[in-house]
Amino acid sequence: MLGLRAAIEIPSVSEQEDKRDNVFQMAKWLVHEMESLGITVKQKDLGKEPGKDIDLPPLIIGRYGSDPSKPTILAYSHYDVQPAALSDGWDDEPFELTQKEDGRLCGRGTSDDKGPLLNWLNMIQAFNKAGQDVPANLVFCFEGMEESGSQGLADALKKESAGEFAKIDSVCITDTAWSTIDRPTLIRGLRGIMFYHINIDGAESDAHSGAFGGSLSEPMTDMVNLMASLVDSRGEILVPGIYDDVLPVSAEERKALGEIKMSKDSLDGGINGKLLHEDQADNLIARSRKPALSLHGIERASPGKGASTIIPGRILGRFSIRTVANMNIAKIDELVQAHLNAKFRQLGSKNQLSVQLTGRGDWFFEEVDHWNYRAAIQATEQVWGVTPNITSEGGSIPIALDFKKVLNSNVVLLPVGRADDHPHSENGKCLPLVNSGLLG
Amino acid sequence: MLGLRAAIEIPSVSEQEDKRDNVFQMAKWLVHEMESLGITVKQKDLGKEPGKDIDLPPLIIGRYGSDPSKPTILAYSHYDVQPAALSDGWDDEPFELTQKEDGRLCGRGTSDDKGPLLNWLNMIQAFNKAGQDVPANLVFCFEGMEESGSQGLADALKKESAGEFAKIDSVCITDTAWSTIDRPTLIRGLRGIMFYHINIDGAESDAHSGAFGGSLSEPMTDMVNLMASLVDSRGEILVPGIYDDVLPVSAEERKALGEIKMSKDSLDGGINGKLLHEDQADNLIARSRKPALSLHGIERASPGKGASTIIPGRILGRFSIRTVANMNIAKIDELVQAHLNAKFRQLGSKNQLSVQLTGRGDWFFEEVDHWNYRAAIQATEQVWGVTPNITSEGGSIPIALDFKKVLNSNVVLLPVGRADDHPHSENGKCLPLVNSGLLG
């Protein structure tokens, strides 16, 4: 596979500022590879990282073909990676390409997203080798900050919507992974996210629970009561009205979800998690087509020296809601705020409450009755001999929605990585892999 | 005041192993001072610190007088101190004695507990100077590990109960502090403590809330529901039966508590905490004569790398109950376990729960209609011209109960420090002080 070994050896970790040079080096390497295939490349300078004195890596825009009789497809991928170190528990050096006994290729970025990115170049190469014309005009959009919040991308999209990306017919994103290990997936839905902070303020600092326990209004008591009012142990969100606008799941969609061949690991994340639903379709619907509320933790807003019997004076609770079509962020926020404030009044607490929506990203749900999807299905059938699963996923990928909204275009997510690639693995029990079939 | 300056200059910090030599140096200095006053001193070797290869400082036992016609009083104090450094925010070098403009004496240990300890020697000196006989036989019990859990003391007490401490008529502990800044206090009650861990085990490691939120049984949800079932925002413990054996507060005791002149800082801990009770007597009863349940925090039992949208796989919740007369630890533990297990079954969770009582110490509540207390009241009236407050305190001092149980003796706590001495201060906003009146 062309270039993957060289690409893996460049540790283009975007989140580590002292390694930012490597991301630029990766961009340079990539531009050279692209140009050697006859792709016209422009590097867009995205300026400084917001609030910091460090340059953002360039957005690499490439054009291959300009035949007005062909459709023009924008292909998105990214050339930065997550951090990795052998000491995290990897079996092999993460920034070297290692072929395992089963043929799979390991190394940081093989699956997310250098392998999938290079697939586009391998594909052009294969057409050239076969003496055939690539049947579409391609516009490449390769970024170097995906693992660090895609900084600068949304602005660049807006800027180029009337420029480099003006005449796009559809978008294809090759990131993320298949839902299973045995069948490719097209992703038509992604959940949105609303991230909340609950601050409860009782005292200027912590108190000794021996001296003051029983006499002070304790923020922890309020916090667990508020959090318990949000969701129950069966996963049901208890905020009144929150399910009102949720797009129902059709009988056909439910049937298809039940028929996907999911491994136990795919269902429980490979962590022996306890599933709330025995039925596979219920399970997949719960994690992709319904909203979910997760309580992430309670932190001390004014941490002290860790004495074990303190009454924390100020605390911060964090939770998030994954949203789905057709929920409206403003409306949901109103419901959540009203619910928490009413519950707090009901507690009769003397502490101060503030609830803040600190982060948000809308859901994505694409029309699949479109030539963009039909083409992706047909291509999958030709290469793999199977019809792909078409799924909604639980996670949030803001750029999918950005492409859809800004370019007013149909977007298909066509993952290359398998469900068991663990592309962000931190503990080294599993290694990023990419299915060698697609890279062969 | 005899010797206080020299005592403060020895940084006898017991919890820092590399400063343990200073604790031994302090013992040596103290033995010399005691012997110079005619006190017969024995140093009891307490062996190694449990689980460590470091010697415990000696228990210093002194005898002064052996007149069979006089009562024999055991006086307890300690010669080790908490750590301190100028960089913590002290106004002056903590291991030097500094006299402030208002006459108060500052330095680590002035109030806790070198000042109070030296009071005993100053007292003998004063009697000598006045040509009068000390009206009691005194047995001193000075330890050097109080700030590190009084390691070795309980065993030594048992060993000496038929030895050095065989013929004790009563015990006087000069540690802790007055309840207020304007009137001495005798302490007749201390709360016990029961410390709990709640472990909820959902998965082997954390999951991504985007990918799995809604499909997994989340330990955080169970935890906040369990914790919310323990105590309400008014401070009421919700475990059925927990108040059954609590010794009622008499009308007389309530009246006395209402009449103590407490400053706002004494009431709210100087941290602008929100009081649950407007009425002072209710407030003091809530923190000293009633049980209290404080939720200390929720920690991740298998912490990861702090991603903000995870579903924690395993978590640990910590809470404690302060107990009062006449609660029984075994019975309360049964009630707590039964309540939490019933609540958990009710939640219908698929996770695993375990509840562990990880620490315990019984309450202390002393008979005040005893010559030991009458003598302490009389002495306070003679020195200060006021009748002392007699209070129960909310904190736990296990040694008070050890002396009472092992020596089968009445115990009075006669603090020397004032309510605003902040003897364990870490942030340096306030300094340990001792009322110079008592040291004059």
Side-chain angles (χ1 to χ4, degrees):
Chain A
M1 54 286 112
L2 173 144
L4 184 60
R5 183 175 306 281
I8 298 305
E9 285 172 4
I10 305 173
S12 53
V13 177
S14 56
E15 78 169 51
Q16 291 168 336
E17 293 181 17
D18 57 345
K19 293 195 176 167
R20 187 63 58 83
D21 281 353
N22 296 328
V23 187
F24 281 89
Q25 191 199 332
M26 182 68 203
K28 193 177 163 189
W29 178 89
L30 185 56
V31 168
H32 179 264
E33 295 292 306
M34 292 168 76
E35 288 178 337
S36 73
L37 286 171
I39 300 169
T40 310
V41 180
K42 290 185 183 170
Q43 296 186 57
K44 296 286 172 182
D45 180 358
L46 301 181
K48 299 273 181 196
E49 191 168 340
K52 293 180 183 174
D53 189 29
I54 181 169
D55 290 327
L56 290 169
L59 186 67
I60 297 176
I61 299 178
R63 301 193 78 91
Y64 187 80
S66 56
D67 183 339
S69 69
K70 294 178 187 171
T72 301
I73 314 292
L74 185 147
Y76 166 88
S77 187
H78 63 92
Y79 61 85
D80 63 322
V81 292
Q82 287 272 324
L86 194 58
S87 60
D88 291 343
W90 287 63
D91 287 343
D92 306 288
E93 186 55 53
F95 293 107
E96 286 174 14
L97 191 69
T98 305
Q99 183 147 21
K100 308 299 275 190
E101 282 179 11
D102 63 2
R104 284 156 65 100
L105 300 163
C106 294
R108 173 59 91 215
T110 48
S111 176
D112 181 16
D113 200 31
K114 291 177 176 175
L117 187 155
L118 292 177
N119 281 181
W120 289 105
L121 311 191
N122 293 155
M123 180 268 292
I124 292 172
Q125 205 177 27
F127 271 97
N128 289 345
K129 203 170 166 185
Q132 288 190 20
D133 199 25
V134 176
N137 303 315
L138 296 169
V139 175
F140 298 111
C141 175
F142 296 153
E143 73 159 321
M145 285 295 282
E146 197 274 344
E147 301 292 5
S148 299
S150 289
Q151 307 225 42
L153 180 65
D155 285 347
L157 274 188
K158 280 171 202 155
K159 210 167 157 186
E160 298 299 337
S161 63
E164 299 291 338
F165 304 149
K167 296 187 174 170
I168 300 299
D169 293 303
S170 74
V171 175
C172 179
I173 295 177
T174 44
D175 197 358
T176 77
W178 301 355
S179 301
T180 67
I181 58 168
D182 67 342
R183 185 179 287 255
T185 302
L186 305 185
I187 299 172
R188 61 90 59 104
L190 294 161
R191 293 197 287 191
I193 186 164
M194 298 175 69
F195 199 82
Y196 279 95
H197 283 185
I198 301 176
N199 281 284
I200 301 180
D201 191 336
E204 282 167 12
S205 56
D206 301 335
H208 185 273
S209 67
F212 294 100
S215 69
L216 293 181
S217 179
E218 303 191 12
M220 272 296 290
T221 309
D222 299 338
M223 184 65 82
V224 296
N225 273 281
L226 287 184
M227 284 185 154
S229 81
L230 288 169
V231 59
D232 71 18
S233 292
R234 291 175 176 85
E236 196 76 7
I237 306 178
L238 306 175
V239 177
I242 201 159
Y243 292 102
D244 286 357
D245 298 331
V246 172
L247 188 74
V249 176
S250 67
E252 192 183 25
E253 189 179 349
R254 174 183 293 275
K255 185 163 174 287
L257 289 173
E259 287 169 354
I260 295 176
K261 280 188 189 149
M262 303 282 289
S263 68
K264 181 180 171 298
D265 277 4
S266 292
L267 285 169
D268 78 2
I271 54 171
N272 272 321
K274 312 291 181 298
L275 298 182
L276 291 172
H277 306 277
E278 299 290 327
D279 179 75
Q280 177 177 303
D282 285 343
N283 187 318
L284 296 180
I285 288 168
R287 79 187 204 190
S288 63
R289 289 281 276 109
K290 281 194 175 173
L293 192 152
S294 292
L295 305 170
H296 303 302
I298 299 173
E299 293 162 15
R300 294 174 58 201
S302 56
K305 288 205 176 171
S308 58
T309 55
I310 53 139
I311 299 169
R314 288 175 174 155
I315 52 175
L316 165 65
R318 296 187 294 102
F319 73 93
S320 66
I321 302 173
R322 299 284 167 168
T323 58
V324 295
N326 291 312
M327 295 167 79
N328 175 283
I329 287 183
K331 184 177 167 188
I332 299 300
D333 185 39
E334 230 169 79
L335 294 175
V336 169
Q337 298 273 357
H339 171 75
L340 285 174
N341 282 292
K343 180 73 191 172
F344 191 71
R345 281 192 299 276
Q346 197 181 319
L347 293 178
S349 170
K350 303 197 172 191
N351 299 319
Q352 294 291 316
L353 168 71
S354 80
V355 178
Q356 289 163 300
L357 177 62
T358 58
R360 72 194 81 188
D362 222 336
W363 46 266
F364 165 84
F365 197 71
E366 189 53 284
E367 181 54 64
V368 296
D369 188 15
H370 187 279
W371 61 261
N372 195 28
Y373 276 78
R374 283 194 293 273
I377 292 167
Q378 196 182 337
T380 305
E381 287 171 344
Q382 280 175 7
V383 172
W384 290 93
V386 292
T387 304
N389 296 316
I390 299 180
T391 67
S392 291
E393 298 294 323
S396 307
I397 306 180
I399 52 159
L401 190 66
D402 289 340
F403 278 110
K404 181 173 170 59
K405 282 186 174 168
V406 175
L407 304 185
N408 194 24
S409 167
N410 184 284
V411 174
V412 64
L413 283 90
L414 182 69
V416 175
R418 276 189 2 179
D420 58 353
D421 283 353
H422 302 283
H424 285 201
S425 167
E426 283 164 338
N427 62 10
K429 277 195 293 189
C430 30
L431 289 171
L433 296 171
V434 71
N435 188 295
S436 55
L438 274 175
L439 282 170
Chain B
M1 56 283 114
L2 172 144
L4 185 59
R5 183 174 306 279
I8 299 305
E9 286 172 4
I10 304 172
S12 52
V13 177
S14 56
E15 78 169 51
Q16 291 168 334
E17 293 181 17
D18 57 345
K19 294 194 176 168
R20 187 63 58 82
D21 281 353
N22 296 328
V23 188
F24 281 88
Q25 189 198 333
M26 181 69 202
K28 193 177 165 190
W29 178 89
L30 185 56
V31 168
H32 179 264
E33 293 293 305
M34 291 168 77
E35 288 178 336
S36 73
L37 286 171
I39 300 168
T40 310
V41 179
K42 290 184 183 171
Q43 296 186 58
K44 295 287 173 182
D45 180 359
L46 301 182
K48 298 274 182 198
E49 190 168 341
K52 294 180 181 175
D53 190 30
I54 180 170
D55 289 326
L56 290 169
L59 187 68
I60 299 176
I61 299 178
R63 302 193 77 91
Y64 186 79
S66 56
D67 183 339
S69 70
K70 294 177 186 171
T72 299
I73 314 292
L74 184 148
Y76 166 87
S77 187
H78 63 91
Y79 60 86
D80 62 323
V81 292
Q82 286 272 322
L86 193 58
S87 60
D88 291 343
W90 288 63
D91 289 342
D92 306 289
E93 185 54 52
F95 293 107
E96 287 175 13
L97 191 69
T98 304
Q99 183 147 22
K100 307 300 274 188
E101 281 180 12
D102 63 1
R104 285 155 66 101
L105 300 163
C106 294
R108 174 58 92 214
T110 48
S111 176
D112 181 17
D113 201 29
K114 291 176 176 176
L117 187 154
L118 291 177
N119 281 180
W120 289 104
L121 310 190
N122 293 156
M123 181 269 289
I124 292 172
Q125 204 178 30
F127 270 98
N128 288 346
K129 201 171 167 185
Q132 287 192 19
D133 200 24
V134 176
N137 304 316
L138 295 168
V139 175
F140 297 111
C141 175
F142 296 152
E143 72 158 320
M145 285 295 283
E146 197 274 343
E147 301 292 4
S148 299
S150 290
Q151 306 223 44
L153 180 65
D155 285 347
L157 274 186
K158 280 172 202 154
K159 208 167 159 186
E160 297 300 336
S161 63
E164 297 292 339
F165 304 150
K167 294 186 176 170
I168 299 301
D169 293 302
S170 74
V171 175
C172 180
I173 295 177
T174 44
D175 197 359
T176 78
W178 301 355
S179 303
T180 68
I181 59 168
D182 67 342
R183 186 179 287 255
T185 302
L186 306 184
I187 298 171
R188 61 89 60 102
L190 294 162
R191 293 198 285 191
I193 187 165
M194 298 174 71
F195 199 84
Y196 278 96
H197 282 184
I198 301 177
N199 281 285
I200 301 180
D201 191 335
E204 282 167 13
S205 57
D206 301 336
H208 185 272
S209 67
F212 295 99
S215 69
L216 293 181
S217 180
E218 302 192 12
M220 271 297 290
T221 308
D222 300 338
M223 183 65 83
V224 296
N225 272 282
L226 287 184
M227 284 186 153
S229 80
L230 287 169
V231 59
D232 71 19
S233 292
R234 292 175 176 85
E236 196 76 8
I237 307 178
L238 305 176
V239 177
I242 201 159
Y243 292 102
D244 285 358
D245 297 331
V246 172
L247 189 73
V249 177
S250 68
E252 193 183 23
E253 189 178 349
R254 174 183 292 276
K255 186 163 173 288
L257 289 173
E259 286 167 355
I260 295 176
K261 281 187 188 151
M262 303 282 289
S263 68
K264 180 181 171 297
D265 276 4
S266 292
L267 285 169
D268 77 3
I271 54 170
N272 273 322
K274 311 291 181 298
L275 299 182
L276 291 172
H277 306 276
E278 298 290 326
D279 179 76
Q280 177 177 304
D282 285 342
N283 187 318
L284 296 179
I285 287 167
R287 80 188 205 190
S288 64
R289 290 281 276 107
K290 280 193 176 174
L293 191 153
S294 292
L295 305 169
H296 303 303
I298 300 172
E299 292 161 15
R300 294 175 56 202
S302 56
K305 289 205 177 171
S308 58
T309 55
I310 54 140
I311 300 169
R314 289 174 174 157
I315 52 175
L316 165 66
R318 296 187 295 102
F319 73 92
S320 67
I321 302 172
R322 298 283 167 167
T323 59
V324 295
N326 290 314
M327 294 165 81
N328 176 283
I329 286 183
K331 183 176 167 188
I332 299 300
D333 185 40
E334 231 169 78
L335 294 175
V336 169
Q337 299 272 359
H339 171 76
L340 285 175
N341 282 294
K343 180 74 191 173
F344 191 71
R345 281 193 299 275
Q346 198 181 317
L347 292 178
S349 170
K350 303 197 171 190
N351 299 318
Q352 292 291 317
L353 169 71
S354 81
V355 178
Q356 290 163 301
L357 177 61
T358 58
R360 70 195 82 187
D362 222 335
W363 47 265
F364 164 84
F365 197 70
E366 188 55 282
E367 181 55 63
V368 295
D369 187 16
H370 186 282
W371 61 261
N372 195 28
Y373 275 78
R374 283 195 291 276
I377 294 167
Q378 196 181 336
T380 305
E381 287 171 343
Q382 279 175 7
V383 171
W384 290 94
V386 292
T387 303
N389 296 316
I390 299 180
T391 66
S392 291
E393 299 293 324
S396 307
I397 307 179
I399 52 159
L401 190 67
D402 288 341
F403 278 111
K404 182 172 169 61
K405 281 187 172 167
V406 175
L407 303 185
N408 194 25
S409 166
N410 184 285
V411 175
V412 64
L413 283 91
L414 183 69
V416 176
R418 276 189 2 178
D420 58 353
D421 284 353
H422 302 282
H424 285 201
S425 167
E426 283 163 337
N427 62 10
K429 278 195 292 189
C430 31
L431 290 171
L433 296 169
V434 70
N435 187 296
S436 56
L438 274 174
L439 282 172

